Amino acid sequence: MKFLFWFSLVFIIYTYLGYPLLLLILSHLRKRDVLKGDILPKVSFIIAAYNEERQIKDKIENTLAIDYPRDKFEIIIVSDASTDKTDSIIKSYVPCGIKFVRLSERRGKETAQKQGIDISTGDILVFSDVATILRPDAVLNIVKNFQDSAVGCVSSTDRILSEGKAESGESLYVRYEMFLRKLESKCYSLVGLSGSFFAARREVCFPWSIDCNSDFNVVLNSVKKGLRGVLDLSSIGYYKSTPGRRKEYRRKLRTIVRGMHTFFKNISLLNFVKYKIFSLQLFSHKLCRWLVPFALINLFFSNFYILFTNKNIFYNYSFVAQCLFYIVGFVSMKLKNFSSFSIFKISSFFIIVNLSVLNAWLLYLKGKKIMYWEPTER
């Protein structure tokens, strides 16, 4: 039980602290800079939408305001058989040069994106969610990275709009993820892109899998073709945090289940001999993160058992600390008055994420695939 306790504790520490520290060291030993250039390739900007009548107009206006030569910039919006006013709003902008496609039946985000790819003509494909707001220079900035022939895809930097409120647990998590991606990009490659706004060479978008996360699968395609994914700090996608723990939970669950299908479909990328540092990145960022809930369970119950068999006071303190952390998290979920305290936000979001991972494992092992998505209210 002591071995189980310490193995679980070290595993959790490695996943959240050890891996970033390892990346920090590697980034200094083998820094991989990106060769940027002021290039203007033909760009296809693809937006997948489902029942987005509240936000689609703002997204279209924001996209039309993007500073990029019009003769090299096409906007494609695909409606995944929307049942509200989304389609009519998009159609009103067709005279502005927007290409509109409507699926006859609902097939899911990746299917909608594939329809956009099929009619696109750009050398660089840019994907963006409806809820994401971009600066006018966002596309100019993101395509500069493709001057580097080793770059297959580029991720934007996520930035949550707090609207003057205290940071949410999601916001703190996003900041951690961006820090991690920055280090991964310096070492070799990102493991996943920001689904809200990313760009890719046309060739790395094939094969396009409709049952895999596009922002994850495109990176894996790039690595298989000898290319890498990088983070661009000057390309920022702005969006609001998810309101409510329940919606936050559903969004994480959907993302993780699809991520697991993508991961195990490309399990060959864990071949450390062939893919070297990327295999380490993939293992540490994805698989280790998904195994944390089991390590947490082992840590808690092995610690509980040790209380009755070992007199070392350290185990008493560690068990109390775990209990307090979970109590704080569950209390924070119920009482909004604690929203201004970081420890409450962190613990509640941590619990939500790991509960969603446990649920995702159950759904994955049952063979459940989540093909459809609902627009996240932000």
Side-chain angles (χ1 to χ4, degrees), residues 99 233 272:
K99 294 183 179 180
L233 297 175
F272 286 81

Side-chain angles (χ1 to χ4, degrees), residues 5-20:
F5 173 88
W6 285 106
F7 178 83
S8 300
L9 181 61
V10 170
F11 181 84
I12 296 166
I13 292 174
Y14 168 77
T15 301
Y16 289 108
L17 298 177
Y19 174 53

Side-chain angles (χ1 to χ4, degrees), residues 96 110 150 152 155 187 195 314 337:
C96 298
E110 274 68 25
S155 174
C187 288
F314 169 80
N337 294 336

Side-chain angles (χ1 to χ4, degrees), residues 32-129:
R32 296 285 302 272
D33 292 321
V34 178
L35 177 63
K36 294 185 179 183
D38 293 322
I39 57 175
L40 294 172
K42 179 69 178 294
V43 170
S44 296
F45 194 95
I46 300 172
I47 304 169
Y50 172 72
N51 286 0
E52 294 279 9
E53 63 179 11
R54 292 190 312 107
Q55 304 180 96
I56 192 64
K57 182 178 180 180
D58 290 340
K59 179 62 178 179
I60 295 173
E61 294 284 355
N62 178 251
T63 305
L64 289 171
I66 286 177
D67 181 18
Y68 203 85
R70 287 297 136 191
D71 60 328
K72 294 186 175 183
F73 187 66
E74 66 176 354
I75 303 171
I76 302 170
I77 305 179
V78 183
S79 171
D80 189 21
S82 297
T83 57
D84 61 0
K85 297 179 182 178
T86 297
D87 292 359
S88 60
I89 295 172
I90 298 172
K91 287 178 181 177
S92 69
Y93 283 91
V94 169
C96 298
I98 288 175
K99 294 183 179 180
F100 171 56
V101 180
R102 172 184 166 81
L103 300 185
S104 58
E105 60 179 327
R106 194 176 177 200
R107 301 287 300 279
K109 182 178 181 178
E110 274 68 25
T111 300
Q113 289 176 327
K114 185 179 184 302
Q115 289 295 312
I117 294 172
D118 289 345
I119 68 167
S120 67
T121 59
D123 300 311
I124 302 298
L125 306 180
V126 176
F127 302 87
S128 183
D129 287 346

Side-chain angles (χ1 to χ4, degrees), residues 323-335:
C323 290
L324 287 176
F325 184 82
Y326 293 127
I327 290 171
V328 163
F330 285 114
V331 167
S332 179
M333 292 181 195
K334 299 295 182 181
L335 303 177

